């Protein structure tokens, strides 16, 4: 047995029947929901509980991350939009038109993350343009986190349904 066969036996390339795919999906959404615009959720909670220096630190970190996101979007937003839409289109075509399960799995990870990216840009623009601070900033960050969690729940639900369908249809063909 060569190394190529050994690796592909160890790592099942049928993504939806692979435990590692589901672990990666859970870690992706857990991490995405914890880091709100690049700010850890516990920092937002601490600023709400203690105020003072914790609130100043939160406002500084949010300002830095919002300015960074909006600068990147302003400088290379159209290029990123073109590249991401091309990549998602390629994954969708390979996955759902040509039936490549790995492309389906990656698409089901990447497509909702682009929606979260768009929500993040929108939230960053609202925070910067509104000059949000204090309680208003924390409420906006909480709203963004809830929106991200809703996208994550829908994504996990759709991915689980599609994965079960794939596993049952492949299981029915194999028997």
């Amino acid at each position: 047995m060569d190394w190529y066969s050994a690796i592909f036996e160890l790592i099942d390339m049928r993504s939806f029947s692979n435990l590692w795919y589901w672990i990666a999906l859970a870690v992706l959404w857990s991490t995405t929901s914890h880091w709100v615009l690049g700010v850890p959720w516990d920092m937002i909670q601490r600023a709400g509980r203690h105020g003072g220096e914790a609130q100043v630190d939160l406002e500084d970190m949010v300002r830095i991350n919002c300015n960074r996101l909006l600068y990147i979007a302003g400088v290379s937003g159209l290029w990123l939009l073109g590249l991401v839409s091309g990549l998602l289109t390629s994954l969708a075509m390979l996955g759902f038109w040509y039936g490549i399960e790995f492309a389906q799995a990656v698409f089901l990870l990447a497509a909702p993350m682009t929606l979260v990216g768009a929500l993040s840009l929108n939230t960053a623009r609202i925070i910067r343009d509104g000059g949000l601070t204090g309680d208003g900033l924390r409420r906006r960050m909480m709203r963004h986190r809830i929106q991200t969690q809703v996208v994550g729940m829908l994504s996990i639900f759709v991915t689980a349904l599609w994965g079960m369908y794939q596993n049952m249809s492949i299981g029915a063909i194999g028997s």
Side-chain angles (χ1 to χ4, degrees):
M1 177 183 292
D2 60 350
W3 66 272
Y4 186 77
S5 299
I7 288 176
F8 278 95
E9 268 187 37
L10 182 64
I11 303 171
D12 184 10
M13 292 308 283
R14 286 196 42 243
S15 302
F16 297 114
S17 63
N18 191 337
L19 177 63
W20 291 108
Y21 177 76
W22 298 104
I23 291 172
L25 180 71
V27 168
L28 173 76
W29 286 110
S30 173
T31 304
T32 301
S33 147
H34 177 72
W35 290 87
V36 182
L37 291 179
V39 179
W41 180 246
D42 61 290
M43 186 178 196
I44 298 166
Q45 290 177 317
R46 188 173 32 252
R49 280 193 305 267
H50 302 295
E53 188 177 337
Q55 181 64 36
V56 171
D57 290 347
L58 171 67
E59 290 172 2
D60 289 341
M61 195 154 176
V62 169
R63 178 185 48 80
I64 290 166
N65 286 335
C66 286
N67 287 340
R68 183 176 157 266
L69 277 173
L70 294 172
Y71 175 77
I72 290 169
V75 169
S76 55
L78 288 176
W79 282 101
L80 286 173
L81 180 66
L83 288 172
V84 169
S85 60
L87 177 69
L88 286 176
T89 302
S90 298
L91 286 171
M93 292 285 293
L94 286 170
F96 300 104
W97 184 261
Y98 291 107
I100 298 172
E101 187 173 325
F102 184 74
Q104 293 171 3
V106 174
F107 178 83
L108 289 171
L109 290 173
M113 289 306 294
T114 59
L115 182 58
V116 170
L119 287 171
S120 295
L121 279 174
N122 185 47
T123 300
R125 188 166 286 117
I126 289 170
I127 290 171
R128 187 186 67 185
D129 293 348
L132 297 180
T133 60
D135 193 44
L137 175 64
R138 288 192 309 274
R139 275 196 312 267
R140 188 66 204 168
M141 297 289 279
M142 186 184 311
R143 173 185 268 178
H144 178 71
R145 183 174 193 237
I146 290 170
Q147 290 171 338
T148 299
Q149 288 175 332
V150 167
V151 171
M153 287 187 298
L154 291 172
S155 170
I156 291 169
F157 180 72
V158 168
T159 303
L161 284 179
W162 185 256
M164 285 187 286
Y165 169 74
Q166 286 292 87
N167 288 334
M168 289 190 310
S169 65
I170 290 173
I173 292 171
S175 51

